[in-house]
Amino acid sequence: MTTFVLIHGAGDSAWSWHLVEAALRERGHDVVAPDLPSDDEGVTWSEYADTVVEAIGDRTGLTVVGHSLGGFTAPLVAGRVAADLLVFVAGMIPRPGESANEWWAATGHSDLVRTAEEELFYHDVPPELAAEARRRARIQRETPMDRPWPLERWPSVRCRVLLGRDDRFLPQEWSRRVARDRLGVEADVMDGGHCLPLSRPGELADRLERYAAAG
């Protein structure tokens, strides 16, 4: 059995993982999917990581998964809990000392074509789920976004990167380059857009289970 630690992105909550969580539990795995304190103006990345570590408790056999902005929290957690695996799912990959607000220009994302939010994030999510996601949207405060990412060096943990073939927010070819430049990892690709936990939960659960089983 693996314990999957599922970390949501900006404006989201643990709910964004609920379909993947159900699929993993059906396969006999444990799941930890906390709400990050992203709507609290007074907290930074360290408190985000504290929230996840506290939710993990004394669990072992950990695969830590960060979606989108959750990629800034996931490595902090992985280093503190001695995770077996770290997975970025359409995730932002930080560098030590770089703030999330600096990340856009540093990776070249600022030069990408932008479009409406609905077309960026929910174009392949079932309408009822997209509507519920919008209803549950939370504020992402700027406090952590302005602070340097606090990890001094990358944790000693195996990493995988999984991209959505049709991701309009973090396009596949651009994301492949970022994964190579920052992690030395060749990214994997599956069908779907940016919100893979909602648009392709079953396939995403399958991928995560296979990653964890590969050791």
Side-chain angles (χ1 to χ4, degrees), residues 52-202:
V52 181
V53 170
E54 182 177 350
I56 292 170
D58 60 359
R59 293 174 174 88
T60 58
L62 303 171
T63 289
V64 177
V65 185
H67 175 239
S68 197
L69 185 62
F72 269 71
T73 301
L76 303 177
V77 173
R80 288 175 54 179
V81 299
D84 298 325
L85 176 66
L86 171 60
V87 184
F88 292 87
V89 172
M92 296 168 65
I93 302 172
R95 275 186 173 149
E98 174 184 83
S99 74
N101 283 336
E102 292 170 337
W103 182 92
W104 308 105
T107 60
H109 189 276
S110 298
D111 299 327
L112 299 179
V113 175
R114 301 296 183 88
T115 186
E117 177 178 304
E118 190 72 17
E119 296 178 358
L120 274 179
F121 298 114
Y122 300 126
H123 63 93
D124 66 335
V125 175
E128 65 278 9
L129 281 176
E132 182 68 6
R134 290 193 297 272
R135 189 184 72 79
R136 291 174 174 268
R138 300 165 65 218
I139 295 171
Q140 173 61 58
R141 300 294 185 183
E142 283 295 310
T143 302
M145 308 291 282
D146 289 330
R147 304 289 179 86
W149 193 58
L151 208 63
E152 294 183 359
R153 62 181 61 85
W154 204 258
S156 180
V157 58
R158 187 168 57 95
C159 296
R160 301 294 294 262
V161 176
L162 179 61
L163 310 175
R165 193 181 314 279
D166 304 311
D167 193 333
R168 298 175 180 177
F169 181 58
L170 303 181
Q172 175 199 158
E173 289 305 321
W174 172 88
S175 292
R176 283 180 178 276
R177 176 182 60 77
V178 173
R180 285 194 295 265
D181 289 350
R182 298 199 161 204
L183 295 177
V185 168
E186 287 298 326
D188 299 319
V189 179
M190 61 177 277
D191 290 339
H194 188 67
C195 297
L196 294 172
L198 292 177
S199 65
R200 301 290 194 282

